Amino acid sequence: MMTAGRYVKAVLWDMDGTLMDSQPLWDEAFCRCCRERGGTVTEEHVAGIAGASIERTRGLIAATGAAPSPEDPAAAEIFSRMTAEVEAAVRADPPILPGARRITSMLSEVGLAQVIVTQSPRRIVESVARALGDVFVALVTGDDGLSGKPAPAPYAAAVELLGLRPEQCVVVEDSATGAASARSNDLLVVQVGGGAKHFPGDPGLIVVRDLASITPHLLLWDDSVLPSVQLSAAGSGRASADASASDSGPAGAASAVGAASAVGAASAVGATGAADATGAAGAAGAADVVSGERTYAADELFFSTTDASGRIRRANSIFMRLSGYPRGALVGRAHNVVRHPDMPAGLFRSVWEDIAAGAAASAYITNRSSDGGRYRVFATIVPSGNGFLSVRTLPMRTGLRDTVEAVYARVRQVEAASAAAGSSRREVAAAGQAALLEELRALGYRDSVDFTRRTLPDEVAALVAAGVDIPKRDGDGPLARVLAEMNGVEASTADLVALLDECSRMVALLGRRSAEIGALSARLKRLRSCLREAAADAERLGSGRGREAGDVAERYREVDGLVLECVEQLRPLAGQVAELRSDVDSVRFGIALLRLHNLASGFFALQIIDGEDELDANDAVGSLGELAEALRDGAERLTERLFLYHARAELVGGELDDVAEALTAMHRPLLDLLGAASDAGAGDEDSVRAARSLVRGGFPEARDLADLAGAVRDLEVPYAAADIDARLVLVEAALAELG
């Protein structure tokens, strides 16, 4: 049996009798093919092919008299015909055993590598693997030239392929020959079915009733958990409570090669891993006994980093405490090991698309802890190196969180209906994503990116307003210097955070003005049409009054030119104001993201100094490096955003002033034109009446546009980019000292 602190990273599956009930297919093919060649098949012959290797099966073919010897070409031919028949039957209707798809899918989602180890030919194994969703990172088959079970070679080959140690793997078998092969490699065996152990005195083998009795948690943990699971499965017959596996997002989409490399690259976990879980029942992270919800404080920011496939590389102790998993059970796993079943697959599909496109993604997420409880977070995920960084905070806008959770429930209903209609997991996730987009638009967000840009600044502002800041610590050494520089960055960004509300007001103002510019442009176009008709009416009615008609025509040409010039100025201005609004929105988001990553960096450095996180066990230097890199990236992006904003503000401010002046300048000539049209006898015409109503009251928009020009020029963002860059250089130097 495994010892405490050593965690399973791979599951090795027998196939025939374990994942699928293929033995009747082999029995039927064996009998028919041997009899067709004149063989006499007995019950002993049929019983002998169960779990037999290719060589053993050829020997049984010869024993029936269908071939002169196992080495004769006739034996190979008969076996080939048997294989073709079984393969065709498997392809047409794979006899997958109940629970096989569920458990293999769940294990894939939590990041365990899976390998099929069987005596069957590769063509058949590949068909079974496809039927189970291609969740296997490798196949060891009868075509690989290895000695068959009970020889050690098949399972030894699987362990070697993964680059793992035997204690990091668990075998699931149904037969005694397979169990013997696994145990000869010192592999833990979960025996499915049969009731009694194949080897009663062997502590390295446990029995479960069926596949439904196997859960990821059984296979993730050490031997302290296994006996109780065995008793539960054998005594009460209780199956897994998590019987539904939904789309796993980026981790579930990982290729077999990527999954295998992730497993192979996972570091060996020592006995210290179990100690990382201490404090899981601490005051701040204790589970609420009534609700099963784990709670934590606003200043307990936590994070994790993953590779490109979504497998966890690093995490801090707060994450481990809330999730209830020790470090060894997290590193190398797919991040959705903590996914709660209440979360819709469409959300994670949307998040994955956003971060894959290089954008940040924020969302209210409920995670599942190892004991089945939950903890709710506001998560912000950004690309980081060749993977991703996710920083979680306590949701501060609880009203919006509750609203979004109600949205998730409705999206889950859409997904359930899609699944019931026979959709694949990808199709279910796509349906959920479409439903989520509709819900976000109903709440006033354009899309998921707009939700992130607008919600993150509000959450960060609320954190700061609640007094969340990085405490100071006296001391020397690299970590103390890191903390000091993060405090310095915090001080440098304090004024920036104070601007979040002002930026929000500017965004709202620019949105209103953009709509008003559109309405003004439409009004001036209608006015031009009315003036053209008024001029025609004045010419018609004033034909006997030569002087008045000529005066109207001259005034019309002047005024039409002024209105046309204003219309042409307005044409691009609405779009430019909308872009400026987006620039301000982007600056606001950049400020919030910078502050978030600085808080995460500072608090993590503080946790290491205070002994809450281990420097070595947690690869703390690597974690701080990723946080600092995210901070630097955010600082550089904010510099770019501010440059773009200031450049566009100058451009748009000038054009707003020009339009305001033009509107003011043309009001008097418009009135003079309408007066001349009245003098020419057209005062009661519909054209003149309509034109007069369009210019009545003048153009108050001119004042609004002039005020807006001043507002965009006056928005000063006191961003000390050079100071932040200098501090990050010092942080990088301190991290280099740490190793």
Side-chain angles (χ1 to χ4, degrees), residues 649-669:
E650 284 298 317
L651 172 66
V652 174
E655 293 185 358
L656 286 169
D657 282 336
D658 289 344
V659 172
E661 292 175 5
L663 287 171
T664 302
M666 72 181 183
H667 186 231
R668 174 48 54 185

Side-chain angles (χ1 to χ4, degrees), residues 362-365 376-378 395-408 410 439-440 442-445 450-459:
S362 293
Y364 295 101
I365 294 176
R376 293 186 285 182
V377 305
F378 180 75
M396 305 299 291
R397 299 186 63 195
T398 54
L400 178 59
R401 179 203 64 192
D402 294 344
T403 298
V404 170
E405 288 181 353
V407 165
Y408 291 163
R410 292 192 292 272
E439 292 276 0
L440 288 177
L443 293 176
Y445 302 100
D450 186 44
F451 178 86
T452 295
R453 287 207 168 185
R454 291 165 58 182
T455 308
L456 174 64
D458 291 341
E459 284 285 344

Side-chain angles (χ1 to χ4, degrees), residues 308-641:
S309 298
R311 285 178 167 76
I312 297 172
R313 293 189 298 208
R314 303 180 177 100
N316 66 337
S317 60
I318 298 175
F319 182 27
M320 290 182 292
R321 188 188 77 214
L322 291 172
S323 69
Y325 289 101
R327 195 178 313 281
L330 282 176
V331 175
R333 305 259 184 260
H335 202 287
N336 49 18
V337 67
V338 297
R339 178 171 172 179
H340 198 281
D342 287 349
M343 298 304 298
L347 169 68
F348 296 105
R349 180 184 174 100
S350 180
V351 167
W352 175 246
E353 288 185 356
D354 290 345
I355 60 178
S362 293
Y364 295 101
I365 294 176
T366 298
N367 285 336
R368 180 173 59 183
S369 54
S370 64
D371 60 1
R374 69 174 187 170
Y375 55 101
R376 293 186 285 182
V377 305
F378 180 75
T380 299
I381 307 126
V382 298
S384 176
N386 62 348
F388 306 97
L389 165 68
S390 177
V391 176
R392 287 89 154 184
T393 58
L394 182 72
M396 305 299 291
R397 299 186 63 195
T398 54
L400 178 59
R401 179 203 64 192
D402 294 344
T403 298
V404 170
E405 288 181 353
V407 165
Y408 291 163
R410 292 192 292 272
V411 172
R412 286 281 292 169
Q413 291 176 351
V414 172
E415 293 179 350
S418 178
S423 300
S424 68
R425 289 192 302 170
R426 291 183 182 277
E427 291 169 338
V428 168
Q433 184 183 20
L436 178 61
L437 178 59
E438 290 182 8
E439 292 276 0
L440 288 177
R441 288 172 175 170
L443 293 176
Y445 302 100
R446 293 188 301 274
D447 50 30
S448 57
V449 174
D450 186 44
F451 178 86
T452 295
R453 287 207 168 185
R454 291 165 58 182
T455 308
L456 174 64
D458 291 341
E459 284 285 344
V460 171
L463 276 177
V464 174
V468 175
D469 55 10
I470 306 170
K472 295 180 174 59
R473 290 285 189 278
D474 294 329
D476 199 8
L479 281 173
R481 295 202 300 275
V482 169
L483 180 60
E485 298 307 329
M486 296 308 176
N487 271 299
V489 172
E490 184 173 347
S492 296
T493 58
D495 291 340
L496 290 177
V497 176
L499 281 175
L500 290 178
D501 287 343
E502 185 176 343
C503 288
S504 181
R505 289 190 292 270
M506 179 63 74
V507 167
L509 177 61
L510 287 165
R512 291 195 300 272
R513 294 292 181 259
S514 180
E516 291 170 3
I517 288 171
L520 176 61
S521 182
R523 177 184 166 197
L524 292 177
K525 289 177 181 178
R526 291 197 304 273
L527 179 60
R528 282 194 73 202
S529 178
C530 290
L531 292 176
R532 183 169 55 252
E533 294 176 7
D537 288 339
E539 182 179 3
R540 174 175 55 82
L541 295 172
S543 56
R545 311 175 187 179
R547 186 183 65 79
E548 291 85 350
D551 187 45
V552 169
E554 183 178 347
R555 291 180 182 273
Y556 167 71
R557 287 191 293 273
E558 177 189 357
V559 170
D560 185 64
L562 292 173
V563 176
L564 178 60
E565 181 181 359
C566 202
V567 169
E568 293 298 320
Q569 288 176 318
L570 287 171
R571 191 189 309 277
L573 188 57
Q576 290 171 349
V577 170
E579 290 177 354
L580 185 62
R581 176 180 181 273
S582 180
D583 291 339
V584 178
D585 211 16
S586 180
V587 168
R588 183 171 181 260
F589 172 79
I591 293 170
L593 190 63
L594 181 71
R595 190 59 175 273
L596 175 70
H597 286 153
N598 188 65
L599 286 172
S601 303
F603 275 115
F604 184 50
L606 183 68
Q607 288 154 15
I608 300 170
I609 292 172
D610 290 348
E612 298 175 14
D613 261 290
E614 297 182 40
L615 185 63
D616 296 328
N618 193 28
D619 187 15
V621 175
S623 296
L624 278 171
E626 287 201 63
L627 288 167
E629 184 61 31
L631 184 57
R632 177 176 289 284
D633 182 66
E636 292 174 351
R637 288 178 179 259
L638 181 55
T639 299
E640 295 170 358
R641 289 178 170 119

Side-chain angles (χ1 to χ4, degrees), residues 79 82 235 241 257 578 666:
F79 181 78
M82 290 171 54
V257 174
M666 72 181 183

Side-chain angles (χ1 to χ4, degrees), residues 640-706:
E640 295 170 358
R641 289 178 170 119
L642 282 169
F643 177 82
L644 184 60
Y645 166 74
H646 287 304
R648 201 179 324 261
E650 284 298 317
L651 172 66
V652 174
E655 293 185 358
L656 286 169
D657 282 336
D658 289 344
V659 172
E661 292 175 5
L663 287 171
T664 302
M666 72 181 183
H667 186 231
R668 174 48 54 185
L670 273 169
L671 295 178
D672 291 343
L673 169 62
L674 295 175
S678 296
D679 293 343
D684 293 329
E685 296 297 308
D686 290 342
S687 60
V688 176
R689 291 177 183 271
R692 192 175 286 118
S693 67
L694 289 171
V695 299
R696 186 177 294 118
F699 295 97
E701 297 94 339
R703 183 183 62 254
D704 293 339
L705 296 179

